[in-house]
Amino acid sequence: MSWRAQIKRVLCSSVAALSFVAVAEPAARPQYGGVLRVELRAASFTLNPRRWKAGSADYATNERLAALVFDRLVSLDNYGRFQPQLSTEWSHNSAAKRWQFTVRTGVKFSDGTPLTPADVVAALQPILPRGLQILATSSGVAIQSASPVNDLLEILASGPYFIYRSNGKGVLLGTGPFVLENTPASSQQAEKTSSDAGGAPAQHVRFRFNELCWSGRPYLDAVDVMLAVPPLRALLDLQLGKADVGELSEDTARRAQQSNLRIWASSPLTLYALKFAAPIKSQNDRTLREVLSLSIDRNAMARVLLQKQADPAPSFLPQWLSGYAFLFDMESNLERAKELRANLPATALGTAQPLRVGLDAGNDLSKLIAERVAVNARGAGIMLQIVSRTTPRGAGDGAGNAAKLESDAQLISWRYTTLSSRDALESLAAASRWEIPEDGVPTDADARYAWEKRMINEKTILPLVAVPDFAALDLRVRNWSPSAWGEWRLGDVWLDQSEPFVAPRDARAKSPAGARP
Amino acid sequence: MNNQLARRFTLLAFTSTSLFFIFLFGAANSIVAQPQALEECVERLARKAIALPHESRMSLLWTNHTTLSEQRAEHLRALFEQRLEAAGVRFLQGEAAPALRVSIEQTPSQFVFTASVPSEGSTNVVIEDVARSLVGSDERPSNAIRIEKELLWQQEATILSAVLPAVSTGAEKKMVLLTEDALVIYGEEQGNWKLQATKTLPGPKQPPRSARGQLLVAEENMGRVGILLPGRRCEANLAGDSPIVCSGGGSDWPAGRLLSLPACGAQTWWLKSDGTDWTAEDRLFLRSSGAAKESAPVAEWNVPGAVFSIGAGSTAASAAVVVRSLLTGNYEVYRIELACTN
């Protein structure tokens, strides 16, 4: 009997003749098909990483949607291991000043053109951190710097470092699992949104599967994204079966926990802090800031005000990113604050006239936190006046620079966008216009900790709390394996279609075309 | 040096020296890796701490906030203590002495060691970090089960299927792995698995996201294996240089394996898994072959990851199971053996 016949027999004959190789019903496996309906808070987005503003609130939306279309050279898995993406191998010299990356062969952009090292150079050169140079080599790219870059993999595995190519008409093409589809109804808007124009916000965009994706076709046929959906509306849509994934706020996440939904929370990704408009100018100024800092009860803010949906922030970098944030002291000391306050002259800011704290009127959480800061400050004898102004979403850079408020300080939110703690500190420092050392923020953990400590003591920014991202998911969403640092990884998600879905009558009428498998 | 290769080599070395941990009826063993990266990191931390002004008598408060096992953390603590004692520091028990606090923290890519060293009323801090990818993770203790399981192999790269071909008494044991693009054959030498051959799968490479495959062995010819791939069937000789031969055809994927153990009676059992997605822990269970689907399993093991495939073991009472560990992300091959409990 031929071997082929034996194989056939093994597969098809009875159990007794199978010699313990069994053929039975297939095990549960990922299912192809279906459209994932996602609702996001952001009103607009741009896929062009060069237009992303460090620390801004919309950064997460831009990055999540870009991850549908583009790939990076490397990624970091949930076990702390760097995984090959568009680069299959990498190495560096002993000083970590020159890195070589082999570019994966056989990869095609969604229009069928092959990926080349030149594409990688073109995508990365404009956005690489200062001091880094990239050039194409025979099999890939080399990145070099005058100083060691030990954290290059962390940098490249996060933030804006996607690989893309412009098709010459302003549309960016990627190699990722999905392609931005221009539906007839919104094609013009989608085109603008995907391109450099970044103009009119699109309310609904669709990403269809990319059959040329080097890592395989995604399980989903498409991802439908609704933009500008308030968290409460997203929660209701999830409960009504009108959405599969919805972005929530910290208060709606608490409500969602009481419904039949899965809730996801990232590590704390957004820092809320009080940023002073100017550096310390006088001893009184220093004392005022010291009093304010000592009066703030960050623990109560995180535990009570935000009902444990946030972490107190004693430092610029969160514990999950630096590993040493716990070394910073964040205990409030009202008695000491009052003692220092007694030394302030009656004419000082905060005593004779209130310290004006500006905030973005569109950010409810900022207002809530600012009000608590005012209450804490009052306990130490400092008057705060909250000045609320409307800033267009996405207009700011996260450090409050775009909000030209006439205030003494600003309640800012800053989103962490990199896996490198050095890079994160440097971004915050650059946005805050701090003086950065010639060689940049130190690479060495000891020196970096010392530098951060010194900047904390400068009291230009008082960190308050750090808040995670929240999302709720329908139970049909499978293989949901996001990273703690906010990646959703929708390319691996599939929809369990074994249970018939019964959408409410109105939901079926209103859902986008083809939204239901 | 190529980082990726180095890491894989480290993992391979670790794997080959730390196999054969038997989990039996609730015995909670863990895979203990001894990568030098962690020890070197602690050595550096100790050197830095010694270089700082410090008390000659201190207590040591050692805290581990990472996925490293307490056993491993304790090993590192002992190393740190040893290095400082060699430099003249005397560690005391109790609160009377100022505390040298060492904390092990974890970031997405690193383990971070901080030491707060007391000196005359003040404290100085030193920090060292090490890439998590250079350090093997620890395995969670397993739950009590009524089947024997033995971890044979683990690696970062994808394993689609594994089989353990039967061999005659005294002959070298073999393990055959199916990866995304090759058939990899190992032989057991002095307790370690040694690579013997790699045979590349012909035809188009499967995309990583949906790669799938299953190895089959036929009792009549244990020197050959069959390979089920999406839309293809292949066959390969384990010995020699002959290439893998494939032909088209549909694939009926086995969803389990029928096991028997005459010493326990004439009964046969299905070994199957629940088949969860990649993000959830799976369950491997044993059910009488004639029993209804709804009937309770006679034995089960809550697998610390997703079961990718169940392949043939070297005997009628054994199977080779591929699991993707949720804890480490590694692909692991287990030998599952029926155990007679009477």
mmCIF file of all heavy atoms in Angstrom, chain A residues 38-70:
data_model
loop_
_atom_site.group_PDB
_atom_site.id
_atom_site.type_symbol
_atom_site.label_atom_id
_atom_site.label_comp_id
_atom_site.label_asym_id
_atom_site.label_seq_id
_atom_site.Cartn_x
_atom_site.Cartn_y
_atom_site.Cartn_z
ATOM 1 N N VAL A 38 -16.993 49.578 15.559
ATOM 2 C CA VAL A 38 -16.224 50.241 16.615
ATOM 3 C C VAL A 38 -16.713 51.686 16.748
ATOM 4 O O VAL A 38 -16.920 52.371 15.739
ATOM 5 C CB VAL A 38 -14.715 50.232 16.275
ATOM 6 C CG1 VAL A 38 -13.910 50.952 17.344
ATOM 7 C CG2 VAL A 38 -14.221 48.801 16.116
ATOM 8 N N GLU A 39 -16.895 52.120 17.976
ATOM 9 C CA GLU A 39 -17.297 53.510 18.206
ATOM 10 C C GLU A 39 -16.228 54.217 19.033
ATOM 11 O O GLU A 39 -15.842 53.738 20.113
ATOM 12 C CB GLU A 39 -18.650 53.558 18.909
ATOM 13 C CG GLU A 39 -19.760 52.997 18.022
ATOM 14 C CD GLU A 39 -21.163 53.219 18.569
ATOM 15 O OE1 GLU A 39 -21.304 53.573 19.757
ATOM 16 O OE2 GLU A 39 -22.105 53.009 17.795
ATOM 17 N N LEU A 40 -15.761 55.335 18.511
ATOM 18 C CA LEU A 40 -14.667 56.071 19.146
ATOM 19 C C LEU A 40 -15.114 57.481 19.529
ATOM 20 O O LEU A 40 -16.039 58.031 18.940
ATOM 21 C CB LEU A 40 -13.466 56.154 18.194
ATOM 22 C CG LEU A 40 -12.890 54.817 17.725
ATOM 23 C CD1 LEU A 40 -11.755 55.064 16.724
ATOM 24 C CD2 LEU A 40 -12.368 54.004 18.906
ATOM 25 N N ARG A 41 -14.406 58.046 20.482
ATOM 26 C CA ARG A 41 -14.767 59.384 20.957
ATOM 27 C C ARG A 41 -14.253 60.480 20.026
ATOM 28 O O ARG A 41 -14.871 61.517 19.891
ATOM 29 C CB ARG A 41 -14.171 59.608 22.348
ATOM 30 C CG ARG A 41 -14.701 58.631 23.367
ATOM 31 C CD ARG A 41 -13.915 58.693 24.657
ATOM 32 N NE ARG A 41 -14.161 59.912 25.405
ATOM 33 C CZ ARG A 41 -13.624 60.178 26.591
ATOM 34 N NH1 ARG A 41 -12.811 59.310 27.151
ATOM 35 N NH2 ARG A 41 -13.893 61.296 27.217
ATOM 36 N N ALA A 42 -13.113 60.260 19.430
ATOM 37 C CA ALA A 42 -12.489 61.309 18.618
ATOM 38 C C ALA A 42 -13.390 61.688 17.438
ATOM 39 O O ALA A 42 -14.046 60.823 16.851
ATOM 40 C CB ALA A 42 -11.143 60.831 18.102
ATOM 41 N N ALA A 43 -13.392 62.963 17.104
ATOM 42 C CA ALA A 43 -14.243 63.434 16.013
ATOM 43 C C ALA A 43 -13.567 63.283 14.661
ATOM 44 O O ALA A 43 -14.225 63.273 13.625
ATOM 45 C CB ALA A 43 -14.618 64.890 16.235
ATOM 46 N N SER A 44 -12.256 63.198 14.649
ATOM 47 C CA SER A 44 -11.544 63.049 13.388
ATOM 48 C C SER A 44 -10.241 62.321 13.647
ATOM 49 O O SER A 44 -9.863 62.090 14.801
ATOM 50 C CB SER A 44 -11.261 64.420 12.761
ATOM 51 O OG SER A 44 -10.408 65.151 13.618
ATOM 52 N N PHE A 45 -9.591 61.965 12.584
ATOM 53 C CA PHE A 45 -8.305 61.298 12.746
ATOM 54 C C PHE A 45 -7.467 61.549 11.512
ATOM 55 O O PHE A 45 -7.981 61.974 10.474
ATOM 56 C CB PHE A 45 -8.486 59.792 12.956
ATOM 57 C CG PHE A 45 -8.923 59.045 11.732
ATOM 58 C CD1 PHE A 45 -8.000 58.394 10.933
ATOM 59 C CD2 PHE A 45 -10.254 59.010 11.353
ATOM 60 C CE1 PHE A 45 -8.399 57.719 9.793
ATOM 61 C CE2 PHE A 45 -10.657 58.346 10.218
ATOM 62 C CZ PHE A 45 -9.736 57.697 9.432
ATOM 63 N N THR A 46 -6.220 61.298 11.642
ATOM 64 C CA THR A 46 -5.345 61.302 10.470
ATOM 65 C C THR A 46 -4.419 60.108 10.554
ATOM 66 O O THR A 46 -3.902 59.779 11.629
ATOM 67 C CB THR A 46 -4.533 62.604 10.347
ATOM 68 O OG1 THR A 46 -3.569 62.436 9.292
ATOM 69 C CG2 THR A 46 -3.783 62.942 11.624
ATOM 70 N N LEU A 47 -4.247 59.457 9.424
ATOM 71 C CA LEU A 47 -3.357 58.297 9.403
ATOM 72 C C LEU A 47 -1.901 58.703 9.205
ATOM 73 O O LEU A 47 -1.015 57.857 9.280
ATOM 74 C CB LEU A 47 -3.766 57.339 8.282
ATOM 75 C CG LEU A 47 -5.125 56.659 8.425
ATOM 76 C CD1 LEU A 47 -5.356 55.691 7.273
ATOM 77 C CD2 LEU A 47 -5.219 55.905 9.742
ATOM 78 N N ASN A 48 -1.675 59.945 8.951
ATOM 79 C CA ASN A 48 -0.304 60.389 8.676
ATOM 80 C C ASN A 48 0.450 60.639 9.982
ATOM 81 O O ASN A 48 0.195 61.637 10.671
ATOM 82 C CB ASN A 48 -0.340 61.661 7.838
ATOM 83 C CG ASN A 48 1.049 62.050 7.368
ATOM 84 O OD1 ASN A 48 2.056 61.583 7.907
ATOM 85 N ND2 ASN A 48 1.112 62.886 6.351
ATOM 86 N N PRO A 49 1.400 59.763 10.329
ATOM 87 C CA PRO A 49 2.104 59.915 11.616
ATOM 88 C C PRO A 49 2.830 61.244 11.761
ATOM 89 O O PRO A 49 3.071 61.687 12.879
ATOM 90 C CB PRO A 49 3.105 58.750 11.605
ATOM 91 C CG PRO A 49 2.539 57.759 10.658
ATOM 92 C CD PRO A 49 1.846 58.572 9.610
ATOM 93 N N ARG A 50 3.154 61.874 10.640
ATOM 94 C CA ARG A 50 3.870 63.151 10.729
ATOM 95 C C ARG A 50 2.974 64.252 11.283
ATOM 96 O O ARG A 50 3.460 65.279 11.721
ATOM 97 C CB ARG A 50 4.393 63.543 9.346
ATOM 98 C CG ARG A 50 5.453 62.590 8.842
ATOM 99 C CD ARG A 50 5.848 62.873 7.422
ATOM 100 N NE ARG A 50 6.593 64.120 7.294
ATOM 101 C CZ ARG A 50 7.143 64.533 6.159
ATOM 102 N NH1 ARG A 50 7.019 63.804 5.074
ATOM 103 N NH2 ARG A 50 7.800 65.663 6.117
ATOM 104 N N ARG A 51 1.674 64.027 11.245
ATOM 105 C CA ARG A 51 0.753 65.052 11.727
ATOM 106 C C ARG A 51 0.299 64.803 13.160
ATOM 107 O O ARG A 51 -0.474 65.573 13.713
ATOM 108 C CB ARG A 51 -0.476 65.108 10.816
ATOM 109 C CG ARG A 51 -0.141 65.532 9.387
ATOM 110 C CD ARG A 51 -1.347 65.422 8.480
ATOM 111 N NE ARG A 51 -2.457 66.208 8.980
ATOM 112 C CZ ARG A 51 -2.639 67.510 8.740
ATOM 113 N NH1 ARG A 51 -1.761 68.147 8.004
ATOM 114 N NH2 ARG A 51 -3.670 68.155 9.218
ATOM 115 N N TRP A 52 0.731 63.709 13.747
ATOM 116 C CA TRP A 52 0.291 63.416 15.108
ATOM 117 C C TRP A 52 1.008 64.328 16.097
ATOM 118 O O TRP A 52 2.223 64.545 15.993
ATOM 119 C CB TRP A 52 0.578 61.961 15.470
ATOM 120 C CG TRP A 52 -0.123 60.987 14.569
ATOM 121 C CD1 TRP A 52 -1.059 61.273 13.590
ATOM 122 C CD2 TRP A 52 0.058 59.575 14.521
ATOM 123 N NE1 TRP A 52 -1.455 60.124 12.956
ATOM 124 C CE2 TRP A 52 -0.791 59.072 13.502
ATOM 125 C CE3 TRP A 52 0.848 58.682 15.242
ATOM 126 C CZ2 TRP A 52 -0.860 57.723 13.201
ATOM 127 C CZ3 TRP A 52 0.780 57.339 14.942
ATOM 128 C CH2 TRP A 52 -0.070 56.866 13.935
ATOM 129 N N LYS A 53 0.256 64.819 17.056
ATOM 130 C CA LYS A 53 0.829 65.712 18.049
ATOM 131 C C LYS A 53 1.125 64.938 19.321
ATOM 132 O O LYS A 53 0.211 64.352 19.921
ATOM 133 C CB LYS A 53 -0.141 66.858 18.333
ATOM 134 C CG LYS A 53 -0.270 67.791 17.146
ATOM 135 C CD LYS A 53 -1.401 68.759 17.319
ATOM 136 C CE LYS A 53 -1.562 69.602 16.058
ATOM 137 N NZ LYS A 53 -2.913 70.137 15.909
ATOM 138 N N ALA A 54 2.378 64.958 19.706
ATOM 139 C CA ALA A 54 2.806 64.197 20.890
ATOM 140 C C ALA A 54 1.964 64.587 22.091
ATOM 141 O O ALA A 54 1.734 65.768 22.346
ATOM 142 C CB ALA A 54 4.274 64.468 21.168
ATOM 143 N N GLY A 55 1.481 63.591 22.804
ATOM 144 C CA GLY A 55 0.764 63.841 24.042
ATOM 145 C C GLY A 55 -0.677 64.228 23.879
ATOM 146 O O GLY A 55 -1.406 64.346 24.865
ATOM 147 N N SER A 56 -1.140 64.418 22.635
ATOM 148 C CA SER A 56 -2.504 64.911 22.454
ATOM 149 C C SER A 56 -3.533 63.812 22.677
ATOM 150 O O SER A 56 -3.244 62.622 22.578
ATOM 151 C CB SER A 56 -2.674 65.495 21.052
ATOM 152 O OG SER A 56 -2.605 64.463 20.089
ATOM 153 N N ALA A 57 -4.761 64.257 22.941
ATOM 154 C CA ALA A 57 -5.836 63.306 23.255
ATOM 155 C C ALA A 57 -6.170 62.432 22.055
ATOM 156 O O ALA A 57 -6.582 61.278 22.215
ATOM 157 C CB ALA A 57 -7.065 64.082 23.710
ATOM 158 N N ASP A 58 -6.011 62.965 20.850
ATOM 159 C CA ASP A 58 -6.390 62.202 19.663
ATOM 160 C C ASP A 58 -5.310 61.223 19.199
ATOM 161 O O ASP A 58 -5.508 60.494 18.240
ATOM 162 C CB ASP A 58 -6.699 63.164 18.508
ATOM 163 C CG ASP A 58 -8.014 63.887 18.749
ATOM 164 O OD1 ASP A 58 -8.776 63.429 19.615
ATOM 165 O OD2 ASP A 58 -8.253 64.897 18.089
ATOM 166 N N TYR A 59 -4.178 61.260 19.884
ATOM 167 C CA TYR A 59 -3.066 60.413 19.460
ATOM 168 C C TYR A 59 -3.476 58.933 19.447
ATOM 169 O O TYR A 59 -3.153 58.187 18.526
ATOM 170 C CB TYR A 59 -1.888 60.612 20.405
ATOM 171 C CG TYR A 59 -0.558 60.204 19.836
ATOM 172 C CD1 TYR A 59 0.341 61.160 19.388
ATOM 173 C CD2 TYR A 59 -0.193 58.872 19.742
ATOM 174 C CE1 TYR A 59 1.571 60.797 18.865
ATOM 175 C CE2 TYR A 59 1.024 58.496 19.218
ATOM 176 C CZ TYR A 59 1.904 59.451 18.789
ATOM 177 O OH TYR A 59 3.111 59.092 18.273
ATOM 178 N N ALA A 60 -4.208 58.527 20.492
ATOM 179 C CA ALA A 60 -4.579 57.108 20.605
ATOM 180 C C ALA A 60 -5.441 56.681 19.433
ATOM 181 O O ALA A 60 -5.258 55.584 18.874
ATOM 182 C CB ALA A 60 -5.308 56.872 21.914
ATOM 183 N N THR A 61 -6.373 57.533 19.047
ATOM 184 C CA THR A 61 -7.249 57.198 17.919
ATOM 185 C C THR A 61 -6.433 57.094 16.634
ATOM 186 O O THR A 61 -6.588 56.131 15.872
ATOM 187 C CB THR A 61 -8.333 58.277 17.760
ATOM 188 O OG1 THR A 61 -9.043 58.372 18.991
ATOM 189 C CG2 THR A 61 -9.289 57.934 16.642
ATOM 190 N N ASN A 62 -5.579 58.074 16.415
ATOM 191 C CA ASN A 62 -4.736 58.035 15.210
ATOM 192 C C ASN A 62 -3.908 56.752 15.167
ATOM 193 O O ASN A 62 -3.816 56.082 14.144
ATOM 194 C CB ASN A 62 -3.790 59.239 15.204
ATOM 195 C CG ASN A 62 -4.538 60.548 15.000
ATOM 196 O OD1 ASN A 62 -5.599 60.564 14.390
ATOM 197 N ND2 ASN A 62 -3.998 61.622 15.536
ATOM 198 N N GLU A 63 -3.315 56.419 16.303
ATOM 199 C CA GLU A 63 -2.421 55.255 16.349
ATOM 200 C C GLU A 63 -3.210 53.960 16.165
ATOM 201 O O GLU A 63 -2.770 53.057 15.452
ATOM 202 C CB GLU A 63 -1.668 55.251 17.678
ATOM 203 C CG GLU A 63 -0.552 54.244 17.714
ATOM 204 C CD GLU A 63 0.264 54.323 18.995
ATOM 205 O OE1 GLU A 63 0.054 55.259 19.787
ATOM 206 O OE2 GLU A 63 1.099 53.426 19.200
ATOM 207 N N ARG A 64 -4.363 53.867 16.810
ATOM 208 C CA ARG A 64 -5.157 52.632 16.691
ATOM 209 C C ARG A 64 -5.647 52.421 15.268
ATOM 210 O O ARG A 64 -5.661 51.288 14.764
ATOM 211 C CB ARG A 64 -6.347 52.689 17.651
ATOM 212 C CG ARG A 64 -5.945 52.339 19.053
ATOM 213 C CD ARG A 64 -7.097 52.324 20.016
ATOM 214 N NE ARG A 64 -6.537 52.201 21.356
ATOM 215 C CZ ARG A 64 -6.941 52.903 22.399
ATOM 216 N NH1 ARG A 64 -7.928 53.751 22.289
ATOM 217 N NH2 ARG A 64 -6.371 52.720 23.569
ATOM 218 N N LEU A 65 -6.069 53.486 14.625
ATOM 219 C CA LEU A 65 -6.559 53.322 13.256
ATOM 220 C C LEU A 65 -5.393 53.110 12.287
ATOM 221 O O LEU A 65 -5.515 52.341 11.335
ATOM 222 C CB LEU A 65 -7.405 54.534 12.853
ATOM 223 C CG LEU A 65 -8.692 54.705 13.691
ATOM 224 C CD1 LEU A 65 -9.516 55.872 13.182
ATOM 225 C CD2 LEU A 65 -9.530 53.431 13.682
ATOM 226 N N ALA A 66 -4.278 53.757 12.550
ATOM 227 C CA ALA A 66 -3.106 53.537 11.695
ATOM 228 C C ALA A 66 -2.633 52.089 11.798
ATOM 229 O O ALA A 66 -2.160 51.514 10.810
ATOM 230 C CB ALA A 66 -1.992 54.492 12.092
ATOM 231 N N ALA A 67 -2.775 51.499 12.984
ATOM 232 C CA ALA A 67 -2.334 50.111 13.170
ATOM 233 C C ALA A 67 -3.175 49.132 12.357
ATOM 234 O O ALA A 67 -2.768 47.993 12.127
ATOM 235 C CB ALA A 67 -2.379 49.744 14.645
ATOM 236 N N LEU A 68 -4.364 49.566 11.928
ATOM 237 C CA LEU A 68 -5.162 48.717 11.043
ATOM 238 C C LEU A 68 -4.543 48.662 9.651
ATOM 239 O O LEU A 68 -4.669 47.666 8.952
ATOM 240 C CB LEU A 68 -6.589 49.268 10.932
ATOM 241 C CG LEU A 68 -7.454 49.288 12.184
ATOM 242 C CD1 LEU A 68 -8.770 49.988 11.893
ATOM 243 C CD2 LEU A 68 -7.707 47.876 12.674
ATOM 244 N N VAL A 69 -3.900 49.727 9.269
ATOM 245 C CA VAL A 69 -3.454 49.884 7.879
ATOM 246 C C VAL A 69 -1.947 49.682 7.721
ATOM 247 O O VAL A 69 -1.493 49.167 6.713
ATOM 248 C CB VAL A 69 -3.847 51.300 7.378
ATOM 249 C CG1 VAL A 69 -3.419 51.505 5.938
ATOM 250 C CG2 VAL A 69 -5.348 51.508 7.506
ATOM 251 N N PHE A 70 -1.192 50.086 8.733
ATOM 252 C CA PHE A 70 0.265 50.055 8.618
ATOM 253 C C PHE A 70 0.864 49.024 9.576
ATOM 254 O O PHE A 70 0.231 48.604 10.540
ATOM 255 C CB PHE A 70 0.876 51.413 8.971
ATOM 256 C CG PHE A 70 0.281 52.586 8.237
ATOM 257 C CD1 PHE A 70 0.014 53.771 8.898
ATOM 258 C CD2 PHE A 70 -0.001 52.507 6.886
ATOM 259 C CE1 PHE A 70 -0.522 54.860 8.233
ATOM 260 C CE2 PHE A 70 -0.546 53.589 6.202
ATOM 261 C CZ PHE A 70 -0.813 54.765 6.889
#
